[in-house]
């Protein structure tokens, strides 16, 4: 009877919107989720270890493109959203959602340190009648074998005293057609009651909920989505190198192929993969598969191909400088356009642009960048040496000081015609000039 009363009480709180939600991690996933939940009528507390985020939120200033400052202010002023670095408030939350990073170690093994530390923090404040949800992307089994195990060390039991679920994030920074509330939400739980609570909670905030049979299945769904993209991008990246050797334009090939109304989906090559998901998540599955003594050759090969793209691009840059400018890369100044990993956003997580700068300078060149969305390179785990570098302005005087311009990210807010008219060598990894109908003898695709 105890589990039923605990379940009924929490179900009623969710149904009546009297449940208080706690979101741990107010980044690209957590803050948009907090806004969606607050808009649906719940009271939301955001938790983060970074005091700068709390200061910004208190000032009603959003630091995430997907959340406007006006939206943030509206939820705060309505009394539906507050933020803090004090995690003692977790005890007052009925639903706790974990949205923390799940990076890789230097050896490409899963780094669950953030998830584990957060779970231990929750355990310190865990009480009966709470639903704890993991949204961070991870390998199948993490929710049940890591989060649940840590929480049950308190003596409370999942499915009896509290409930555990998993719902993979599906954020797409810069996407103008979908947001947190309109993207279908996959949900799962540790048992039927947990799944029911998950469906009710997320169903209140998003348009469509997709229940699946287990937390491990939901974890596999997220990995499958990202592996699909990783493998297909690797395929076109490899085709790019092969077709380039044959004198064939891969972008023209793709544009023609996508006219087929069935059996084909266009993916496009680039200078490498960026974002938190696609460069990292496939390796979570390859790591887990070792437990079952099963190889993931296809997935790992795709990772190798995509990881090799920055060096391939710099190789094409060096070749073009040698042939067209008569200058070695080691004596050249390069201006890179775009630091973010995708167009029209400020997100630099795992951006290949950072690696491009590093490779260029390893070979003796000097690389600066221009990005209208990223005025300064912030602190990053892997590229601390680049911290503090600032975006340069695109003036005629500035452009005249560079031997080559490398298009890494095709932001819309860049004057590409001006770049073409500068007379500098341009290495285009995004086909942006052809797409805009801008031609010049100085443009080379890579």
């Amino acid at each position: 009877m105890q589990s039923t009363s605990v379940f009924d009480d929490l179900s009623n709180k969710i149904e009546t919107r009297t449940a208080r939600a706690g979101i741990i991690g107010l980044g690209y996933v957590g803050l948009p989720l907090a806004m969606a939940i607050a808009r649906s009528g719940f009271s939301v507390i955001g938790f983060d270890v970074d005091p700068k985020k709390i200061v910004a939120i208190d000032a009603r200033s959003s630091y995430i493109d997907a959340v406007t400052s006006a939206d943030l202010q509206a939820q705060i002023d309505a009394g539906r959203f507050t933020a803090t670095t004090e995690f003692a408030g977790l005890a007052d939350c009925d639903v706790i959602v974990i949205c923390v990073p799940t990076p890789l170690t230097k050896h490409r093994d899963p780094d669950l340190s953030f998830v584990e530390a957060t779970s231990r923090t929750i355990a310190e404040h865990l009480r009966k009648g709470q639903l704890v949800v993991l949204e961070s992307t991870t390998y199948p089994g993490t929710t049940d074998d890591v989060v649940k195990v840590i929480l049950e060390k308190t003596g409370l039991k999942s499915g009896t005293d509290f409930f555990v679920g998993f719902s993979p994030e599906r954020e797409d920074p810069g996407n103008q057609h979908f947001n947190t509330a309109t993207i279908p939400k996959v949900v799962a739980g540790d048992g039927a009651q947990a799944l029911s609570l998950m469906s009710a909670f997320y169903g209140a905030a998003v348009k469509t909920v997709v229940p699946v049979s287990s937390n491990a299945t939901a974890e596999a769904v997220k990995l499958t989505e990202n592996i699909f993209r990783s493998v297909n991008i690797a395929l076109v990246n490899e085709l790019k190198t092969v077709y380039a050797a044959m004198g064939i334009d891969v972008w023209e090939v793709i544009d023609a192929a996508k006219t087929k109304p069935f059996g084909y989906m266009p993916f496009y090559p680039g200078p490498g993969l960026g974002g938190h998901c696609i460069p990292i998540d496939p390796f979570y599955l390859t790591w887990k598969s070792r437990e079952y003594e099963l190889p993931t050759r296809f997935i790992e090969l795709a990772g190798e191909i995509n990881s090799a793209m920055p060096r391939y691009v710099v190789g094409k840059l060096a070749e073009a400088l040698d042939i067209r400018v008569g200058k070695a890369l080691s004596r050249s100044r390069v201006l890179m356009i775009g630091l973010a990993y995708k167009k029209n956003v400020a997100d630099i997580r795992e951006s290949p642009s950072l690696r491009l700068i590093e490779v260029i300078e390893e070979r003796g060149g000097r690389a600066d960048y221009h990005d209208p969305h990223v005025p300064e390179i912030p602190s990053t785990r892997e590229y601390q040496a680049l911290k503090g570098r600032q975006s340069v302005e695109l003036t005629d005087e500035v452009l005249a000081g560079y031997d080559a311009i490398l298009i890494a990210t095709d932001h819309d807010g860049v004057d590409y015609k001006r770049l073409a008219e500068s007379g500098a060598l341009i290495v285009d990894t995004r086909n942006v000039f052809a797409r805009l109908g801008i031609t010049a003898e100085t443009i080379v695709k890579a």
Side-chain angles (χ1 to χ4, degrees):
M1 292 297 295
Q2 184 185 28
S3 63
T4 302
S5 62
V6 170
F7 167 73
D8 287 344
D9 181 56
L10 185 51
S11 293
N12 181 65
K13 287 182 178 179
I14 291 174
E15 183 179 353
T16 59
R17 307 292 198 275
T18 56
R20 176 170 288 185
I23 309 297
I24 303 178
L26 298 175
Y28 287 93
V29 175
L31 189 60
L33 177 64
M35 292 299 98
I37 294 172
R39 282 194 298 269
S40 68
F42 291 101
S43 174
V44 181
I45 305 176
F47 300 88
D48 204 288
V49 296
D50 184 357
K52 293 180 181 178
K53 291 179 181 177
I54 309 305
V55 170
I57 289 171
D58 288 343
R60 275 69 167 171
S61 176
S62 176
Y63 46 86
I64 300 294
D65 291 338
V67 175
T68 66
S69 294
D71 189 16
L72 180 64
Q73 179 175 342
Q75 300 312 313
I76 295 174
D77 291 348
R80 289 190 294 264
F81 181 63
T82 59
T84 180
T85 57
E86 299 296 328
F87 286 78
L90 289 170
D92 299 323
C93 297
D94 302 293
V95 181
I96 300 171
V97 186
I98 303 169
C99 303
V100 298
T102 46
L104 295 172
T105 68
K106 291 182 178 180
H107 301 290
R108 291 195 174 275
D109 290 336
D111 178 1
L112 293 182
S113 59
F114 297 100
V115 171
E116 292 170 345
T118 301
S119 298
R120 287 192 291 269
T121 298
I122 294 171
E124 293 174 5
H125 308 286
L126 189 68
R127 59 169 172 79
K128 291 184 178 181
Q130 289 180 312
L131 170 64
V132 179
V133 184
L134 180 63
E135 283 218 5
S136 306
T137 305
T138 184
Y139 60 81
T142 302
T143 305
D144 294 338
D145 300 339
V146 178
V147 177
K148 174 183 167 181
V149 169
I150 291 173
L151 297 180
E152 286 191 331
K153 287 181 179 179
T154 62
L156 299 176
K157 296 299 180 184
S158 174
T160 301
D161 303 309
F162 67 94
F163 304 90
V164 175
F166 181 82
S167 180
E169 60 89 2
R170 280 176 162 173
E171 289 298 318
D172 186 19
N175 193 319
Q176 301 300 313
H177 303 289
F178 295 97
N179 56 45
T180 303
T182 60
I183 300 170
K185 202 81 169 77
V186 174
V187 297
D190 179 30
Q193 290 185 336
L195 178 59
S196 176
L197 293 169
M198 290 285 291
S199 297
F201 175 68
Y202 282 105
V206 303
K207 185 176 181 180
T208 305
V209 171
V210 183
V212 295
S213 60
S214 68
N215 288 328
T217 299
E219 289 160 340
V221 168
K222 175 62 174 177
L223 292 183
T224 299
E225 293 169 358
N226 291 334
I227 290 168
F228 175 80
R229 286 189 55 77
S230 174
V231 167
N232 280 281
I233 292 172
L235 175 62
V236 293
N237 274 332
E238 186 167 65
L239 289 175
K240 173 180 70 175
T241 65
V242 174
Y243 289 152
M246 299 177 179
I248 298 171
D249 185 336
V250 69
W251 284 276
E252 182 182 1
V253 171
I254 294 170
D255 284 344
K258 72 180 183 182
T259 62
K260 183 180 180 181
F262 52 87
Y264 181 79
M265 178 184 295
F267 286 83
Y268 297 92
L273 288 182
H276 173 69
C277 294
I278 302 175
I280 292 176
D281 296 349
F283 291 101
Y284 270 69
L285 186 61
T286 63
W287 178 86
K288 184 64 174 178
S289 70
R290 297 173 201 160
E291 179 182 330
Y292 299 89
E293 298 182 354
L294 291 172
T296 52
R297 291 188 293 269
F298 207 69
I299 298 171
E300 293 181 62
L301 178 60
E304 292 171 10
I305 292 171
N306 290 326
S307 296
M309 280 301 105
R311 284 200 176 276
Y312 170 83
V313 168
V314 174
K316 297 292 284 187
L317 168 66
E319 179 183 280
L321 279 166
D322 180 31
I323 295 174
R324 292 174 174 251
V325 183
K327 195 171 185 179
L329 176 59
S330 61
R331 294 185 292 107
S332 299
R333 294 189 68 210
V334 179
L335 176 61
M336 191 169 64
I337 303 298
L339 193 73
Y341 82 90
K342 65 182 294 189
K343 65 189 297 184
N344 303 333
V345 302
D347 193 346
I348 68 165
R349 291 176 297 172
E350 308 297 327
S351 174
S353 297
L354 298 169
R355 179 59 178 153
L356 286 168
I357 293 175
E358 187 176 65
V359 175
I360 289 170
E361 297 192 345
E362 282 175 354
R363 296 185 59 166
R366 167 67 189 186
D368 296 320
Y369 81 95
H370 169 79
D371 192 310
H373 301 275
V374 187
E376 182 176 312
I377 300 180
S379 178
T380 58
R381 280 189 290 271
E382 295 186 15
Y383 300 97
Q384 277 296 315
L386 302 181
K387 178 184 177 182
R389 291 198 188 183
Q390 297 183 340
S391 173
V392 302
E393 294 185 26
L394 295 186
T395 65
D396 292 340
E397 293 76 19
V398 167
L399 291 174
Y402 292 97
D403 301 292
I405 299 170
L406 174 61
I407 309 298
T409 312
D410 52 336
H411 292 304
D412 290 337
V414 173
D415 189 346
Y416 294 100
K417 185 177 180 181
R418 185 179 200 172
L419 296 180
E421 292 173 347
S422 71
L425 169 69
I426 297 174
V427 177
D428 186 0
T429 74
R430 299 290 187 176
N431 198 41
V432 63
F433 288 93
R435 199 166 66 243
L436 296 176
I438 301 173
T439 60
E441 292 295 326
T442 55
I443 299 173
V444 177
K445 295 183 182 183

